Each structure stands twice: as C-alpha cells, then as structure tokens.
Amino acid sequence: MIKKGLSDFFNQNPNLKYLFFGGKGGVGKTVLAGITALYLSEKGKRVLLVSTNPVHSLSGLLNEDVFGREKKVSQTNLFALEIDTKDVILKKKNEIKEKIEWFLRFADITGQKTEDFIESATMNPAFEESAMFEKMVDLMFEDKYEIYVFDTAPTANARRLLGMSKVYTLWVEKMLASRKEAEELRKKLTFTKKEEKDPLLTYLLSFKERIERVHQLLTNPSLTAFFFVTLPEALPIAVIRRFIGWFKDFGIPVGGVIVNRVIDKKQVKEDAPEFVLNRITMQERYLNEINSSFENVLGILPEMANEIRGVDKLKEAMTYLFSH
C-alpha cells in the first residue's frame, strides 16, 4: 500500500516549510501533527507546532500548557502553540472597528451607522475563520522557524481557513475596482485637477499584496503540503475523498494520506474475541478501499497499546510511522 513513506517524502522535499494536518473530527490529526513535528525537530529543524483548532488538544497531547504562547516543549527542541481563539477574535474585532471608523470619517458617517457597519463586519459566520487566517499569516510572515506544522480544525473548517486567501483575493479585487471607479467619477465631477490622497485605496493595495504573498506560499508545492488523516472506516474515507479534490482545485498541494489506528493482525491470535476479529476484517476491507482510492498513502500508524500522550509516547509512535 505504501509506495513512499513519510521519511522518504520529507527527504525528497527538503524545502517544505508549511505542513497542514486535517481530516474528519476524531481521527487523530493532533497526534499525527505532533509526531511529525517532533520527528522534524529531531532531524535538527527549528519547528513550531501550531493548533488552529478552536477545540484544542495540543496541551493534552504534550502534557504541557502551550495555550496562548509559543513554548519549547520539555526535553525536546520542538516549540508549540495553541492559538488563543478568543484573544485573536477580540483583537481582530478591535482592529476592524478602528479601520471602519477611520474609513467612515472620509464618508462623513458617524454615530449609530458606524456601529451598524462594525456589527455587520464582525458578526458574519466567516469572521472567526478570517481572524484565525490572519493569525496564521502573521506567524508565517514572522518567519522565526524553519518549519510550521499546523494542526487544523476538522476539514470543513480547514477548507474555509485555507480558502480565505482566494476569498480575500476576490473581495479585494472587487473593492479595488469599485474604489478606482469612484475616484474616476470624482475627478469628472470636480473642477480641481489636484491629486488627493486616498487612504482606503492605499490600504487595499497593501492588503492585496499581503494576500497575494500568502497565496503564493500556500500554493507552492515545494513549500506547502496538506496531509489528510483517516481511520480505516467509511465516513473518514468519504470525507477526505471529497475534500482532496477541493484542495487541488484551490491549488493547495496535497502531500498524502496517513491511516491511523490500524490493528496489527500479527499481534492478534486466532482465539481472540470475535469483536476484535470482526474489526480486523472490517479494517482490511477499508484499507483495500484506501489503497485503490488514494495513490499517495504515506504512512500507517498502528493501534497502540496505550494512549499517545507525552513526549515518550510520541517518540514510540514515531518509530512506527517513520520506519517505512
């Protein structure tokens, strides 16, 4: 099933800098992101493991509090961070409020109408994703680490998160066209030929440059790879089959598929409980489906005897995942 393992993949793509792990909820995205980040840090890379999932489990995985601040994980060279979603959203709301108030001063609009604009801009369903996207971009542009490993929310959220670059691009282009049209109209209606500063246009051009830059990073296959994590079960497979196509359509490079919690049948005797034997039969059926559906299966992590928590357990799992 595995034509090229994860270690081979990283050896053949030595310049990868932005790694994303996604999939259906509950398949082990955080565990796989943690194992991979630890592996790369032990290879001598300066690595930041980041959780963008509002329902964090990174501190629980590492047995250390990494909420809201970058912290070096004990007894490793790995750095980790759980993004404080509430703090990010609050800061983003304040930033939006300041910008809108600043913009509306040029339109001579104040008072309740200003508040209406602010509420409209910050209460839309995509606001949380846009705020988290902006925080992710900030981390990427700070460029303090050689590799960033992002543990994302379930795939539907990750889709919206990473798709924001394209959404923003479309929005900014429309805004720029509208602004230029308004400027042309102003010139026709005024007698003065004096050029006036347009702070809104300046801001939009700056924002456009930022989005184009991150879009280039996210769609560069030598820098970025998205890994889908699945279990050998019907629903997680269906989820990644649907979303792999979407990610390709958006130009986000797909690194490959990793299968988690596969029972090692070599460890199971013939007189094992019927429940276990049935699970093995079921998993074999879905492993065949995974093999025929996805050409780039990069790793299989077996069902471990104990829960994977803490650095020692991550290292133990690492020997399985990167041994191929």
Side-chain angles (χ1 to χ4, degrees):
M1 172 183 280
I2 299 177
K3 301 179 181 69
K4 178 173 64 178
L6 270 172
S7 54
D8 292 335
F9 181 84
F10 287 119
N11 287 334
Q12 293 171 11
N13 297 275
N15 297 321
L16 281 174
K17 192 175 180 72
Y18 309 109
L19 312 179
F20 297 86
F21 285 77
K24 185 178 178 298
V27 297
K29 298 182 292 295
T30 306
V31 171
L32 270 301
I35 295 170
T36 303
L38 186 60
Y39 169 80
L40 294 170
S41 71
E42 293 205 338
K43 288 291 181 182
K45 298 289 187 180
R46 182 173 165 83
V47 182
L48 178 64
L49 172 62
V50 187
S51 171
T52 63
N53 190 343
V55 186
H56 295 297
S57 53
L58 201 54
S59 290
L61 175 73
L62 298 171
N63 277 339
E64 287 193 38
D65 182 8
V66 295
F67 181 73
R69 60 199 172 106
E70 296 170 31
K71 182 186 175 189
K72 190 174 182 182
V73 181
S74 301
Q75 301 178 331
T76 74
N77 292 319
L78 174 66
F79 291 80
L81 165 68
E82 284 180 343
I83 294 176
D84 184 343
T85 310
K86 287 184 179 178
D87 182 60
V88 168
I89 291 174
L90 180 62
K91 287 179 179 174
K92 187 66 181 175
K93 280 186 176 179
N94 290 335
E95 181 185 326
I96 292 287
K97 181 179 179 180
E98 289 175 5
K99 281 192 172 70
I100 288 177
E101 288 177 339
W102 180 66
F103 290 155
L104 294 184
R105 281 205 301 272
F106 293 95
D108 197 24
I109 297 175
T110 57
Q112 183 58 42
K113 288 185 178 179
T114 303
E115 294 301 320
D116 292 344
F117 277 111
I118 294 168
E119 184 175 349
S120 171
T122 59
M123 294 300 287
N124 72 76
F127 183 78
E128 181 175 317
E129 275 86 4
S130 66
M132 293 297 280
F133 178 78
E134 289 286 319
K135 178 63 180 178
M136 186 186 79
V137 174
D138 287 342
L139 289 170
M140 292 169 68
F141 286 1
E142 282 176 6
D143 202 23
K144 291 165 55 180
Y145 298 87
E146 293 176 274
I147 298 177
Y148 294 81
V149 179
F150 292 98
D151 166 33
T152 70
T155 301
N157 298 72
R159 167 188 163 171
R160 288 201 298 269
L161 180 72
L162 298 181
M164 291 306 292
S165 64
K166 189 161 187 175
V167 173
Y168 271 147
T169 299
L170 295 172
W171 177 78
V172 168
E173 287 176 351
K174 284 187 177 180
M175 288 290 290
L176 281 171
S178 174
R179 195 63 189 168
K180 288 177 180 175
E181 186 179 338
E183 179 62 13
E184 291 299 320
L185 184 61
R186 185 192 67 79
K187 286 180 179 177
K188 290 178 181 176
L189 295 176
T190 185
F191 293 106
T192 178
K193 301 300 180 185
K194 182 182 178 184
E195 290 290 333
E196 294 184 5
K197 290 184 179 179
D198 187 340
L200 179 55
L201 184 60
T202 302
Y203 167 77
L204 287 172
L205 289 172
S206 170
F207 189 64
K208 183 173 185 282
E209 183 179 332
R210 174 180 166 89
I211 294 304
E212 286 177 345
R213 183 181 167 198
V214 74
H215 187 72
Q216 287 175 359
L217 295 179
L218 290 175
T219 55
N220 185 337
S222 66
L223 294 176
T224 297
F226 195 100
F227 299 95
F228 285 92
V229 182
T230 186
L231 303 178
E233 296 176 8
L235 294 181
I237 294 171
V239 166
I240 64 172
R241 182 182 286 123
R242 186 164 66 250
F243 281 100
I244 277 180
W246 185 90
F247 275 75
K248 287 181 177 176
D249 289 345
F250 269 65
I252 298 169
V254 175
V257 174
I258 302 168
V259 190
N260 190 21
R261 303 188 68 174
V262 176
I263 299 173
D264 183 358
K265 60 183 180 182
K266 294 178 183 175
Q267 304 292 327
V268 180
K269 297 179 180 177
E270 292 182 357
D271 60 349
E274 185 178 356
F275 165 78
V276 177
L277 297 176
N278 286 342
R279 294 290 297 183
I280 291 174
T281 302
M282 181 200 74
Q283 288 197 347
E284 285 185 334
R285 185 169 73 251
Y286 285 119
L287 285 171
N288 288 332
E289 184 176 335
I290 291 169
N291 190 37
S292 61
S293 301
F294 310 112
E295 60 184 21
N296 50 352
V297 179
L298 296 177
I300 294 178
L301 184 64
E303 182 78 79
M304 307 294 283
N306 298 297
E307 185 181 13
I308 301 175
R309 288 193 66 183
V311 172
D312 289 342
K313 291 297 180 185
L314 283 171
K315 287 184 177 179
E316 183 182 340
M318 191 169 70
T319 60
Y320 287 97
L321 191 61
F322 286 89
S323 61
H324 182 80

